């Protein structure tokens, strides 16, 4: 702590002035791990501290972000504003919640007995959608409605749901989360269960896109080498739109500068692989980007988004280069520093 911090009052003021909180997800889940990555990468003494908070998931996170005092950031989804607009108690949700960046996609997983080959065969069956208020609870149900499938929906936690599936008490378990989902990957299906194919239909919301699940993602749940078709919904780093000039607005300005400015650190091998899907410049239809985030992107537009840089770097590598993640990452950083140096010299 800085030497000028000499009293309890000053210590309290310093700590609160530089801490932002992010509502994540359940222990061990993708949101929890992504929140931990943000904290590990960006925490910088008394300059900035990110405090991850356990949450239920994207569905409840939207309300936490809107109403809980002290919650600055939260992982929500591209369909979150639609969810909030349906709540007649709420007003001006578009002005209250903005986004800093679109992060990655969360895939729809449906585990069922092997006799069920298409998700539409689950019509009228007992199906679990994780705990009430979770992202699966909202997005999963909305996806099923878009597919025209009516089921008997239950809300139980995922480990309990998988045990109920094993005992035959439910016909399927639904999870909307970033692959690979650890609790699903650890499930022992034997020769009884698998991931079910889910078609992409025109009746679905534009928030949902086609996706696939492969044997590399779930060796125990994908039959053979053929990918399983499914749907996905985008995860967003949401932010409460505080008044410009307020203390919390200024803290979030510092967070944005640190998050965008140090983004290449999230691409290190020890960080969650979903970071490699992120394109910071990607826009989200129907959402408003937080002004400090838009200003940062406008000021650094000629530098390119990290994902675009990675694709350009990989395209320049020999085809027979060894696929060692650490070596590739270190080579990328060296290439990026050299490119930034050349850009700096060109500007002079």
């Amino acid at each position: 702590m800085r030497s000028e911090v000499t009293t309890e009052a000053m210590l309290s003021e310093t700590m609160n002035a530089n801490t932002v909180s992010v509502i994540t997800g359940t222990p061990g889940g993708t949101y929890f791990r992504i929140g931990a990555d943000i904290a590990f990468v960006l925490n910088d003494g008394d300059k900035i501290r990110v405090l991850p908070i356990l949450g239920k998931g994207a569905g409840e996170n939207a309300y936490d972000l809107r109403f809980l005092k002290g919650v600055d950031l939260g992982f929500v989804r591209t369909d979150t504003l639609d969810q909030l607009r349906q709540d007649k108690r709420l007003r001006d949700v578009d002005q209250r919640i903005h986004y800093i960046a679109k992060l990655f996609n969360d895939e729809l997983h449906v585990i069922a007995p092997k006799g069920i080959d298409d998700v539409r065969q689950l019509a009228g069956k007992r199906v679990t959608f994780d705990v009430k208020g979770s992202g699966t609870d909202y997005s999963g149900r909305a996806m099923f409605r878009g597919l025209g499938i009516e089921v008997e929906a239950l809300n139980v936690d995922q480990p309990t749901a998988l045990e109920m599936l094993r005992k035959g008490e439910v016909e399927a378990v639904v999870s909307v989360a970033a692959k690979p989902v650890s609790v699903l990957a650890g499930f022992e299906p034997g020769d009884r269960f698998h991931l079910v194919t889910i078609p992409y239909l025109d009746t679905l919301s534009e928030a949902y896109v086609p996706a696939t699940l492969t044997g590399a993602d779930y060796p125990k749940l994908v039959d053979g080498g053929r990918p399983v078709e499914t749907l996905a919904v985008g995860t967003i780093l949401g932010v409460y739109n505080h008044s410009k000039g307020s203390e919390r607005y200024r803290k979030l300005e510092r967070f944005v500068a640190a998050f965008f400015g140090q983004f290449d650190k999230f691409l290190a091998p020890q960080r969650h692989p979903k970071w490699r899907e992120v394109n910071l410049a990607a826009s989200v239809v129907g959402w408003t980007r937080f002004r400090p985030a838009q200003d940062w992107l406008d000021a650094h537009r000629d530098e390119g988004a990290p994902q675009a840089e990675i694709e350009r770097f990989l395209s320049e590598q020999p085809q027979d280069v060894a696929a060692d993640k650490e070596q590739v990452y270190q080579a990328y950083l060296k290439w990026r520093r050299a490119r930034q140096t050349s850009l700096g010299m060109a500007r002079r």
Side-chain angles (χ1 to χ4, degrees):
M1 205 59 67
R2 294 179 300 183
S3 59
E4 62 265 29
V5 179
T6 57
T7 68
E8 283 191 353
M10 293 174 66
L11 178 61
S12 174
E13 182 178 352
T14 299
M15 291 182 66
N16 283 282
N18 296 298
T19 299
V20 296
S21 62
V22 55
I23 191 78
T24 62
T26 54
T30 302
Y31 288 176
F32 177 76
R33 292 178 59 193
I34 292 292
D37 280 347
I38 293 176
F40 290 143
V41 169
L42 300 187
N43 282 357
D44 185 14
D46 58 355
K47 294 181 181 179
I48 186 170
R49 179 191 180 195
V50 179
L51 185 64
I53 304 172
L54 290 177
K56 285 186 176 181
E60 190 71 22
N61 286 358
Y63 288 89
D64 292 341
L65 185 58
R66 170 64 182 86
F67 293 108
L68 282 188
K69 296 179 179 179
V71 174
D72 302 298
L73 305 161
F75 297 120
V76 293
R77 288 180 174 153
T78 52
D79 60 0
T80 290
L81 288 183
D82 289 337
Q83 170 191 353
L84 296 181
R85 291 186 189 109
Q86 293 171 18
D87 190 332
K88 301 305 182 183
R89 299 169 298 176
L90 308 186
R91 298 180 180 179
D92 302 324
V93 293
D94 304 68
Q95 285 74 45
R96 301 287 188 176
I97 299 178
H98 289 181
Y99 79 103
I100 289 175
K102 180 183 181 297
L103 299 179
F104 44 79
N105 284 337
D106 290 333
E107 290 81 14
L108 171 62
H109 304 69
V110 178
I111 300 178
K114 287 189 174 181
I116 295 177
D117 299 315
D118 188 295
V119 71
R120 287 166 287 194
Q121 293 174 256
L122 291 173
K125 307 292 187 181
R126 287 166 60 88
V127 178
T128 67
F129 289 85
D130 205 349
V131 297
K132 190 172 181 59
S134 67
T136 295
D137 187 34
Y138 177 77
S139 296
R141 289 177 187 248
M143 288 172 170
F144 269 61
R145 286 195 299 271
L147 292 166
I149 305 171
E150 293 186 13
V151 298
E152 184 181 344
L154 291 81
N155 288 116
V156 293
D157 64 88
Q158 299 291 40
T160 300
L162 291 169
E163 187 59 26
M164 293 174 68
L165 177 66
R166 196 188 306 278
K167 293 178 178 179
E169 296 173 353
V170 297
E171 201 67 27
V173 173
V174 172
S175 173
V176 183
K179 66 178 183 181
V181 182
S182 59
V183 68
L184 302 185
F187 177 63
E188 294 293 341
D191 58 358
R192 298 173 57 197
F193 306 105
H194 69 157
L195 283 162
V196 178
T197 296
I198 303 163
Y200 182 82
L201 304 180
D202 292 339
T203 54
L204 289 160
S205 163
E206 64 179 8
Y208 308 130
V209 297
T212 58
L213 304 171
T214 69
D217 301 319
Y218 301 101
K220 302 174 185 178
L221 289 166
V222 176
D223 297 329
R226 186 175 181 179
V228 175
E229 294 180 1
T230 188
L231 308 175
V233 59
T235 282
I236 292 171
L237 179 56
V239 58
Y240 188 84
N241 185 33
H242 292 286
S243 301
K244 185 175 182 179
S246 67
E247 178 184 353
R248 293 178 74 179
Y249 186 94
R250 289 193 294 270
K251 287 197 295 184
L252 288 166
E253 284 182 309
R254 293 196 294 275
F255 171 84
V256 166
F259 179 71
F260 283 1
Q262 301 182 56
F263 187 80
D264 56 355
K265 294 181 180 178
F266 293 109
L267 307 176
Q270 68 269 31
R271 302 303 169 202
H272 196 286
K274 276 289 185 177
W275 285 111
R276 292 162 182 78
E277 295 183 11
V278 178
N279 178 355
L280 294 178
S283 58
V284 183
V285 176
W287 285 72
T288 301
R289 198 186 298 268
F290 188 47
R291 174 46 56 186
Q294 188 61 58
D295 290 344
W296 194 98
L297 289 172
D298 291 343
H300 297 81
R301 192 171 299 279
D302 58 341
E303 295 181 11
Q307 180 62 29
E309 285 190 345
I310 294 172
E311 292 174 357
R312 177 175 173 181
F313 165 74
L314 292 175
S315 70
E316 296 176 4
Q317 305 311 300
Q319 293 300 310
D320 59 348
V321 67
D324 182 284
K325 291 184 178 180
E326 179 62 25
Q327 290 181 1
V328 170
Y329 175 66
Q330 293 301 327
Y332 160 70
L333 290 183
K334 183 177 180 181
W335 174 89
R336 188 171 188 268
R337 285 192 293 269
R339 183 165 178 264
Q340 288 176 332
T341 300
S342 65
L343 284 172
M345 293 179 64
R347 291 190 186 109
R348 294 173 192 165

